[in-house]
Amino acid sequence: MSKPRLSFWQIWNMSFGFLGIQFGFALQNANVSRIFETLGASIDSIPILWIAAPVTGLIVQPIIGHMSDKTWNRLGRRRPYFLIGAILASLALIIMPNSPTLWFAAGMLWIMDASINISMEPFRAFVGDMLPSEQRTIGFSMQSFFIGTGAIIASALPYVMTNWFGISNTALEGEIPASVKFSFYIGAIVFFLAVLWTVISAKEYSPEELKKFSESDNDAKHSDTSARSEERITHQKFFKLGIMWMLIGLIGSTILHFVLKENDYGLYVLFIGSVIFGVLQILAGFLSSLGKTEGGFFIVLSDLYNMPKTMKQLAVVQFFSWFALFAMWIYTTPAVTHHIYGATDPTSARYNEGADWVGVLMSVYNGFAAVMAFVLVWLAKKTNRKTVHMISLIIGGIAFASFYVIKNPQLLIISELGIGLAWASILAMPYAILAGSLPPEKMGVYMGIFNFFIVIPQITAAAILGFFVRDIFNGEAIYALLLGGISMIVAGLMVKFVDDVD
């Protein structure tokens, strides 16, 4: 019994919710640094404030993935999480631009990002659940299309509010401009309605149907992967690895504090994260020694060490890709406003003109990604997914680096086309390659674990980029984008070593 092929409009409906999800993410990515600077954040403190976003993804996505694998009720398997996340994220989008203080805004970023992640993670698994192997590339590309389409509008909203409707893009010191506030309110409405459309219009296969599909000839190749995913790591190995990660974190923190005498909170977060990861593994070792291996916490950690080979190879590509993207999201606004517009005062008209233009640039790369999503599907059929992804990432890296040499803001649109190509590929090709290597019954948890390799580079970027910009780049944010370009080129080269088994 094979999964039936779905029609174009069925794939459209099941992916439509991503329009709203990316609406929220695009508003966050294009405006949160602006909100932080407006509320008094220094340029080198922005990365540590942003660290909330990847940390919440690291925690939330595997938990939601595991929970959705085990869920079945009137709304289905994944759709309950779509809806809950949409409600919470919409409320957070309304509150965020009304933050009275910097630390309140940082806290709201935690809540908003966690809520968006609750909706987003099951959408990735949804494609693996619903589509046969030969339609997964088009399924993830459809998500890329909606991600790009949503972000086109959302990223440009503050610019549109000011230039089309005359809403002010400046405010008193410490206050968020009205153009930003109204943009977030519109985002909240779009987020909820788009996700609600998918919840209402899409169906899900029951656990019994999915089991029959997994036993079919089309999914026979998953049998070895499924067997490996059921293996349990010994408690001795958990203890050994846990102690190793704890020592790395403790030694790093000690050197940082007592030898280098640095008070860089980003680096402390990185080392403390290593300690926490070690503690979690030691806890898993104790559970294993007691025979308590059925809980979600233990299963997720075991599955982390039993990842399919293709997933491990993609993890390296994802690390360098998302390091570059995170550098872009947190530093494009200060890089463009400072390096190209020559403005450093967030209350000045020149600074806000540059910040609005960043929103337009974000809209351009997302718009081009929406167009290229389907072009990449055609190219992948003519060549293969690895070739398409490798070339796209290398072009994206060159586009990142071009920000350093371009002085005319209008010409940055050309750079954004290269970034848009890379973005379209990042949103589709790794997931299409990954889905073919995963056991169907663990699609949700492995999609959540795969998010580790999106989140860990973001945490790393948040931890080290502030140090680099402050102490090595002399406060010049443009060099963070240059570093991101190098990272993305490395990611493209690493694609060569990935096995696309499907």
Side-chain angles (χ1 to χ4, degrees), residues 150-171:
I152 295 170
I153 306 168
S155 298
L157 267 181
Y159 180 90
V160 170
M161 290 288 174
T162 299
N163 292 276
W164 294 9
F165 299 105
I167 298 174
S168 177
N169 70 342
T170 59

Side-chain angles (χ1 to χ4, degrees), residues 329-349:
W329 290 331
I330 62 179
Y331 276 119
T332 297
T333 296
V336 170
T337 55
H338 300 183
H339 183 72
I340 297 175
Y341 280 80
T344 57
D345 180 5
T347 64
S348 69

